[in-house]
Amino acid sequence: MILNWKLGGLALGLTFFAAVLLVKPIGVSTQFVILDGILWNAVDPDVVTQNTDGAYTSTNAYLAKSGGKYAKSVASPLNYSFVFVLAMMLGAFASSFLRKGVPSNEKIMPAIWRTNYGDSTAKRFAVAFASGFAVLYGARLAGGCTSGHMMSGMMQTAISGYIFAAGAFAAAVPTALLMFRKEA
Amino acid sequence: MSSIFLAIIIGAAFGAVLDRVGATSPNYIGKMLNLTNLHLAKAILLAIGVGSVLMFGGQMAGLVDVGHMSVKTAYMGVFIGGLLLGVGWAASGYCPGTGIAAAASGRRDALVYAAGGLVGAAAYMVTYPMWKNAGILSGEALTLGAVPGAKYDALLPGVSGDLVGILVGIALILGAFTVPDRIISKPTTAPAE
């Protein structure tokens, strides 16, 4: 059972406010890059390096940009933004556990998918993987995702937030209208 | 160390609220985007509005540190990336935050989505110089009005950024109450042709 939109929206808004009051606005998608960097650096320790002056840099231009701030996060994952995302997973897990978890018929694919595309796990997983690829590639190109651009950005009246939301909904609504015609 | 403590508290609260508002369920995301159940859209509009009013109100009252604002740069890639994200968001029912929250809540397809996300982010890391050279990654970090004490320029420099923020916030809250529960009407039992 989910909260009604008034209570849920209020709780979500108070969370956004708490974040900006105490630390900084919420964002998620950068941490995919940080985890990639951690994995990459574990395989090849030369990817992220520290200069003699203490600054971090990387052989990868993206990790090295903006004075090596991503490279620094890769080198020290126990930073606010990375721990934030781990804690977010913990919070979602706890909330789900307390409401008896995701129903068994929802674990592999959601009802809206099953109604429109049937029971094939392979089909659902293939689309999920490709979607994850497109979403994170797009989010990094945009410099943020639904949290950082749309929610945190629009909360701060950031022009980038409005531009992002316009792009995201301009693509998402027609895609959903075409793909999910049958109601679950 | 206190910042790690705050990361745990605020992060856990965010994850729990995303789950309780239905955002970890691709069913609610899908029904919002195909305009058949706008529950989530109303919740998000209300949340952004409440956040805005409290933040800008708090800044005017001197209770919120303006230095905590973090406004991202606006550039062509923001729109292109938004389009690309929108397609995958609709097809899967997950965005980056809700995707990993959903994976943690026990959804297996969300785990596959997160794996795809890691590969997508890695692909961007490798192709980043191409976009940079194309010149679509440069722009300005702008807010609507001029926010006193903030390091960002304004689209409308003569206008108070704090007041505009509160007004836009109120508009979003009113929007949440105005948006209908659904826009696409329920199909009749025998589809008309």
Side-chain angles (χ1 to χ4, degrees):
Chain A
M1 196 48 213
I2 62 163
L3 295 172
N4 69 56
W5 70 265
K6 289 175 200 157
L7 208 53
L10 185 63
L12 195 57
L14 291 175
T15 313
F16 294 161
F17 176 63
V20 78
L21 172 68
L22 298 169
V23 191
K24 62 174 184 177
I26 284 172
V28 174
S29 70
T30 306
Q31 304 317 311
F32 279 80
V33 171
I34 303 306
L35 181 55
D36 276 334
I38 292 170
L39 296 172
W40 192 3
N41 199 44
V43 177
D44 177 3
D46 295 332
V47 169
V48 170
T49 50
Q50 197 172 11
N51 296 336
T52 44
D53 63 357
Y56 286 91
T57 189
S58 173
T59 51
N60 178 263
Y62 192 60
L63 290 178
K65 82 176 182 105
S66 310
K69 64 174 180 180
Y70 292 166
K72 187 181 176 204
S73 298
V74 168
S76 44
L78 205 65
N79 61 71
Y80 175 83
S81 302
F82 196 70
V83 173
F84 175 90
V85 169
L86 297 180
M88 179 191 78
M89 296 179 72
L90 205 63
F93 168 79
S95 163
S96 165
F97 182 78
L98 292 174
R99 60 176 173 84
K100 309 273 187 287
V102 175
S104 57
N105 60 349
E106 280 277 314
K107 278 203 164 102
I108 300 294
M109 64 188 81
I112 192 171
W113 179 272
R114 205 182 293 271
T115 304
N116 284 277
Y117 296 102
D119 282 326
S120 164
T121 304
K123 205 193 263 181
R124 171 62 183 171
F125 279 14
V127 171
F129 187 89
S131 298
F133 185 101
V135 167
L136 265 300
Y137 194 96
R140 287 298 86 212
L141 176 57
C145 63
T146 332
S147 330
H149 261 316
M150 199 184 291
M151 295 175 172
S152 300
M154 286 175 55
M155 175 179 80
Q156 302 174 92
T157 66
I159 304 306
S160 51
Y162 301 124
I163 296 174
F164 175 85
F169 281 106
V173 169
T175 304
L177 286 173
L178 284 172
M179 282 187 69
F180 303 110
R181 287 163 182 264
K182 288 187 218 157
E183 285 199 39
Chain B
M1 210 53 222
S2 76
S3 84
I4 298 298
F5 176 73
L6 288 173
I8 293 170
I9 301 295
I10 304 169
F14 184 50
V17 174
L18 280 180
D19 186 65
R20 287 303 160 113
V21 78
T24 56
S25 164
N27 294 313
Y28 284 104
I29 302 277
K31 288 176 195 170
M32 165 175 73
L33 294 175
N34 77 4
L35 311 176
T36 56
N37 179 350
L38 296 182
H39 158 88
L40 254 188
K42 290 161 92 74
I44 294 169
L45 284 171
L46 178 63
I48 299 173
V50 166
S52 242
V53 170
L54 291 176
M55 189 192 86
F56 285 110
Q59 288 179 355
M60 285 183 93
L63 301 170
V64 176
D65 183 354
V66 181
H68 286 183
M69 282 182 78
S70 174
V71 171
K72 292 171 189 282
T73 310
Y75 52 85
M76 184 47 101
V78 173
F79 188 74
I80 304 172
L83 289 173
L84 194 55
L85 176 141
V87 173
W89 182 30
S92 61
Y94 299 123
C95 54
T98 64
I100 43 185
S105 80
R107 290 185 180 269
R108 308 269 169 74
D109 57 341
L111 211 55
V112 176
Y113 167 93
L118 283 172
V119 178
Y124 185 75
M125 289 163 72
V126 174
T127 53
Y128 163 74
M130 180 184 91
W131 296 104
K132 189 164 173 58
N133 293 337
I136 62 158
L137 300 185
S138 47
E140 260 191 288
L142 295 174
T143 51
L144 270 182
V147 181
K151 52 183 189 259
Y152 307 104
D153 287 332
L155 185 72
L156 311 164
V159 175
S160 157
D162 286 331
L163 277 181
V164 169
I166 291 172
L167 289 177
V168 171
I170 292 172
L172 292 173
I173 295 170
L174 292 177
F177 283 90
T178 315
V179 168
D181 292 333
R182 59 184 297 159
I183 292 174
I184 304 281
S185 56
K186 233 185 179 71
T188 46
T189 38
E193 209 31 74

